[in-house]
Structures are given as C-alpha cells and as structure tokens.
Amino acid sequence: MRRTLDGLGLHRSASHDRPHLKTYAVIDFETTGLSPASDRIIEVAVAIVRDGEVVDTFSQLMDPGYAIPGFITALTGITTAMVRGQPRPEAVMPRLRAVLADLTCIAHNAAFDRRFFVAEMACAGQGHERRFLCSLMLARRLLPEAPDHKLSTLMRHLGFTGRHRLRSHRALDDVLMTCALARHLLELIRDRLDGQEVGEKLLARVLATPRRQLDAVLEACRAAPRDAVTRG
C-alpha cells in the first residue's frame, strides 16, 4: 500500500513538489551503546521512499543476548523484557539486506548507523558495501539557522506537525521523521537548481562541500547543462 508522509502523520502547511531522487531507503538503528565493537543493535527500522512517498516499511526488535542497559531503556523505552524472545541481530541482518536490495540509505547521523550496519552484517556473514547519505550533515549545510540539528529540533524548526505522537529514539518513528526531513532537504536543493534533478552523486558532492563554499557549488551546478547535474 502506498502511504504518503502526510498519511503517516507528518505534514506542513505549504505544499512542495516532490524531489527527483527516485527511490531510496531511510534507516535507523537503536543500539545498546555507542561502539559496534562491544554493543549490539536492538531495533531497526527502514522506510522505502519512491518519488517522495513511503511505499513500504520494515521494523524489528532484536535480542542482543544480554540485559538492555538502564540508560538505553531511559532513552528509548526499550526494555529487556521487550526484546526477550526476539530474533538475534545476526538473524535479522539477512532479512534487512533483502529489504534494502541495492538502494542507497539515508540516515540521520549516518556515520553511526553505517558503523553498526557494517559490524552487524559482518557478524551475520553478510558483509558488503552500501552508500549512506547523512540527513544531519545535509541539514547543517542547508539549514544553518536551525537552533541545532537534532532530528526533533529540526522537525520543530521546519514546522512539521503530527497527528500521531512520534517518539524520538524509537527506530520507526525516527525513520518517519527522517523521511520528512530528507524530502524537505531534497526540495531545497532542487529549488536552488531551478527544478533540475537531484542525484546521489550531487548529494555526495554537497556533503563533501564546506558550508561556506556551498552557495558557489550549487550555483555552478545550476548553471551547468542539465545532464551534467543529474550525472553528478
């Protein structure tokens, strides 16, 4: 079933055209701590986005094999009892790889999610490379006026409201908020390019560009032939 971001409870008063990055995955992990060398994933969520709409979602709690630390329960609401009897991370990762297919992933603070993705895929014997794009880093470049670039702060800053209560630090709710943020950021870039398509290589270029140089880079892309912009 096709579900728009509005249908998932996130909407803004102003309407915008859909971005041209056709299909991508938005992903989020909740974990027992900060280090993939010693911590494990306890929840994953993915939304598949096509033409700006969420067309599928996947979420799963996982049992790390030991008690959830108290500070993680305080942060996420995930308790040891909730994960008891759930599959181990290494059992879920092959399913996750199938859900993601060959799609590029977008995550908020993607470096964190990518480290755990790589570690848990290797643990499951599913090691492979995958491109991750970071909505936090994009927001720092495109929304420098925001009070900070935490996901919840950006939602308030951009005026997103929800008919349903979304909880920060639960994987699916964070994914749905990141979907809304990513769509907005892609629209901002598209507007700066006079409606030209936004491709993955261009996003990677934006991410690699210091904020003070971004205006010049986007202006050069806007003035370039359209096929050159969509290629890179």
Side-chain angles (χ1 to χ4, degrees):
M1 179 177 66
R2 295 179 66 85
R3 289 169 288 181
T4 65
L5 289 170
D6 288 352
L8 289 164
L10 288 168
H11 56 88
R12 296 185 349 133
S13 57
S15 62
H16 294 272
D17 292 335
R18 294 172 180 171
H20 286 283
L21 184 62
K22 294 299 183 183
T23 307
Y24 54 90
V26 177
I27 189 167
D28 183 69
F29 294 117
E30 302 300 333
T31 69
T32 60
L34 299 177
S35 172
S38 56
D39 295 303
R40 302 300 303 272
I41 293 170
I42 55 174
E43 188 177 36
V44 62
V46 174
I48 306 302
V49 180
R50 183 177 302 125
D51 292 327
E53 293 187 4
V54 174
V55 297
D56 198 10
T57 60
F58 169 80
S59 62
Q60 179 66 58
L61 285 167
M62 285 165 271
D63 185 351
Y66 51 86
I68 305 295
F71 76 95
I72 295 297
T73 295
L75 180 68
T76 66
I78 300 173
T79 66
T80 301
M82 288 170 61
V83 300
R84 189 175 294 123
Q86 298 291 336
R88 295 293 297 271
E90 55 268 31
V92 174
M93 301 314 281
R95 293 166 55 197
L96 176 61
R97 184 171 183 175
V99 169
L100 294 173
D102 61 351
L103 297 177
T104 291
C105 289
I106 294 178
H108 204 69
N109 192 14
F112 174 87
D113 294 280
R114 185 183 182 279
R115 286 195 298 269
F116 274 92
F117 178 89
V118 170
E120 293 287 9
M121 283 291 184
C123 184
Q126 297 284 315
H128 69 292
E129 287 297 319
R130 182 177 300 271
R131 173 174 281 181
F132 276 71
L133 300 173
C134 184
S135 58
L136 185 151
M137 299 302 292
L138 281 175
R140 285 179 175 170
R141 285 156 175 76
L142 297 167
L143 300 171
E145 75 284 359
D148 62 57
H149 295 89
K150 297 177 182 178
L151 188 55
S152 57
T153 302
L154 290 168
M155 290 293 98
R156 291 191 297 270
H157 175 73
L158 294 173
F160 283 97
T161 60
R163 292 188 295 273
H164 311 294
R165 182 174 177 81
L166 296 179
R167 302 158 296 178
S168 294
H169 302 296
R170 285 305 303 267
L172 184 56
D173 287 353
D174 280 353
V175 157
L176 297 181
M177 287 189 282
T178 304
C179 286
L181 173 63
R183 184 171 71 175
H184 178 76
L185 296 174
L186 291 170
E187 288 165 351
L188 287 179
I189 297 172
R190 181 173 178 263
D191 288 346
R192 297 279 294 274
L193 299 178
D194 292 340
Q196 297 183 43
E197 290 192 8
V198 178
E200 293 180 13
K201 290 183 179 179
L202 176 61
L203 287 177
R205 184 176 179 185
V206 170
L207 286 167
T209 300
R211 176 68 187 88
R212 64 184 180 276
Q213 298 174 15
L214 184 59
D215 289 346
V217 167
L218 290 177
E219 175 58 26
C221 289
R222 187 194 65 78
R226 286 180 177 257
D227 61 342
V229 173
T230 57
R231 286 198 305 269

